[in-house]
DNA sequence: GCTTGGCTCACCCGAATGAGGGATCGCACC
DNA sequence: GGTGCGATCCCTCATTCGGGTGAGCCAAGC
């Protein structure tokens, strides 16, 4: 038997069964790619990754039990050479930034064409880093100093819940002035000038949720 | 040739190619179902519907060019007996309400199992109305009087964009008092007590976007 | 050692917000 | 013809918000 080139072994992690079907169908159609496992949340994905050692892991972000970013971070901490391709619905640059920071090999939108997905799998397997044009644009658009700190996100979360500055101060055990100070920085970073707009922009960019 | 029962002819409208693949694969696996067409936005979907007259139309909501709800409304206006099954990602009760109002035969979440989808297609074809449990719960939870009027949604949209009441008044050619009055009723309907929370709740419920 | 950046807090102040009261008009529904 | 409801407008008033300005602490990095 002629030892042809080994196929790229892919693990697919997504909580939507039908989306998983679609992805797997696209992959299986290629003879240099093979799906070795499917998982429906980050926890399962992590377990299967450890067991199967796939060449490439396709990972959704929004999943129950354990999110894709968390799973990615764990995987990369365990095996810094792991190739994980994030495949998600929205181009929120905050999550993309975090994913890339955690060593994602790529960040692709689910709205991409089948061909894009296939090409990207091959590319990341060849150790190239691939980012969706839309996401790349977002990332380029928003300078890194616009990244919100953990504390700022915490404040903004409470703002989104309709809490007043006073309530937030109480909830986070802070001075009212500190809360206002955080809000001020948040406004600057997001280039808005009121709390409501801050929440919508932050949501769109992927800081909340 | 034995005239077996005619298969149910299905039209699939979704802008994600891979999701479409997954859906179609699930459908084609059944021998009493057949995919007769695929479209990637509401406009295409509408055209294919007119051309193919499918027994059941699967329709996503969030699509470019023409949204699923608008396409649904047009279809139902043309042919009141059309069977359209909304298949979407989020359980926002406002959109569900609008879809059902427009005569959707069903409202299913994409996170459902393959079997659920198949069963639901057969059910709506048999003129039964099917609603995802999660969505049904949302709908039951929120009384009809909590539905926001068009004007209120218009105001809330501007609020979400960070506009002040004064700016909103100017934008909509209203008195400042009117804007405040609308906001007041919005707060009551959504059971919140400030604009920011109103925006987050309305977003989650599917009024904005 | 020094700088940077995140987190913390303080005071002043004008403008906006949200809570109370009202009111009128039109329109659909019964 | 009445009743309800959405949309429009008006007034007052306490509270809150956001801008401006300034400052101290501390951990990480150069």
């Amino acid at each position: 038997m002629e030892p042809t080139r080994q196929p790229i072994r892919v693990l697919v992690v997504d909580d939507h069964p039908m989306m998983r079907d679609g992805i797997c169908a696209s992959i299986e159609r290629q003879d240099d790619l093979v799906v070795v496992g499917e998982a429906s949340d980050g926890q399962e994905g992590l377990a299967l990754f450890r067991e199967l050692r796939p060449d490439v892991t396709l990972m959704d972000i929004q999943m129950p039990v354990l999110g894709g970013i968390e799973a990615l971070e764990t995987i990369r901490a365990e095996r810094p050479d792991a190739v994980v391709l994030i495949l998600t619905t929205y181009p929120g640059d905050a999550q993309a930034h975090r994913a890339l920071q955690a060593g994602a090999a790529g960040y692709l939108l689910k709205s991409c064409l089948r061909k894009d997905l296939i090409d990207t799998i091959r590319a990341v397997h060849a150790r190239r880093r691939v980012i969706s044009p839309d996401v790349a644009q977002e990332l380029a658009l928003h300078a890194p100093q616009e990244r919100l700190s953990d504390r700022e996100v915490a404040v903004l979360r409470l703002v989104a819940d309709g809490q007043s500055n006073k309530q937030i101060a109480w909830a986070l055990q802070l001075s009212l002035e500190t809360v206002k100070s955080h809000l001020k920085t948040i406004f600057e970073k997001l280039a808005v000038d009121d709390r409501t707009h801050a929440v919508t922009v932050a949501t769109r960019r992927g800081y909340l949720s």
Side-chain angles (χ1 to χ4, degrees), chain A:
Chain A
M1 50 191 69
E2 64 281 15
T4 60
R5 192 187 298 274
Q6 294 292 324
I8 302 175
R9 302 170 62 249
V10 183
L11 170 62
V12 178
V13 187
D14 195 311
D15 59 328
H16 291 171
M18 282 172 287
M19 178 56 89
R20 235 168 35 226
D21 269 11
I23 294 169
C24 292
S26 295
I27 294 174
E28 295 285 10
R29 219 169 283 152
Q30 313 298 316
D31 47 3
D32 62 331
L33 305 180
V34 57
V35 176
V36 292
E38 295 183 39
S40 59
D41 62 63
Q43 198 94 66
E44 274 186 41
L46 195 51
L48 277 184
F49 172 84
R50 288 176 178 141
E51 182 189 333
L52 302 170
R53 294 288 154 75
D55 298 313
V56 176
T57 302
L58 255 53
M59 183 83 72
D60 186 22
I61 286 191
Q62 294 163 222
M63 291 186 295
V65 189
L66 184 70
I69 302 264
E70 289 76 15
L72 161 68
E73 284 168 346
T74 310
I75 286 176
R76 289 285 303 187
E78 284 181 15
R79 323 214 95 226
D81 59 336
V83 175
V84 179
L85 172 58
I86 298 290
L87 187 62
T88 188
T89 310
Y90 300 107
D93 62 294
Q95 288 191 311
H97 190 271
R98 187 172 164 202
L100 263 14
Q101 203 72 23
Y107 199 94
L108 207 60
L109 293 184
K110 280 183 182 172
S111 58
C112 74
L113 302 174
R114 285 176 278 260
K115 186 180 181 312
D116 294 334
L117 174 64
I118 302 301
D119 289 346
T120 304
I121 292 176
R122 293 196 185 109
V124 295
H125 182 245
R127 302 286 152 179
R128 278 191 286 126
R129 189 170 258 212
V130 180
I131 298 162
S132 268
D134 322 75
V135 179
Q137 191 179 352
E138 290 259 349
L139 285 174
L141 222 61
H142 304 297
Q145 78 266 15
E146 293 174 16
R147 235 199 68 257
L148 297 187
S149 70
D150 290 347
R151 203 57 166 163
E152 286 157 356
V153 172
V155 170
L156 204 48
R157 260 184 225 289
L158 297 177
V159 171
D161 276 336
Q163 314 254 4
S164 71
N165 290 348
K166 196 186 283 186
Q167 291 174 306
I168 295 169
W170 192 85
L172 297 181
Q173 286 297 94
L174 290 177
S175 158
L176 174 61
E177 304 303 322
T178 306
V179 175
K180 289 172 70 175
S181 175
H182 283 312
L183 258 309
K184 196 183 305 183
T185 341
I186 292 170
F187 294 165
E188 277 174 18
K189 288 184 177 177
L190 297 182
V192 300
D193 39 32
D194 74 291
R195 51 179 52 222
T196 308
H197 202 192
V199 168
T200 58
V201 169
T203 303
R204 194 184 328 132
R205 303 258 302 269
Y207 284 111
L208 310 176
S209 102

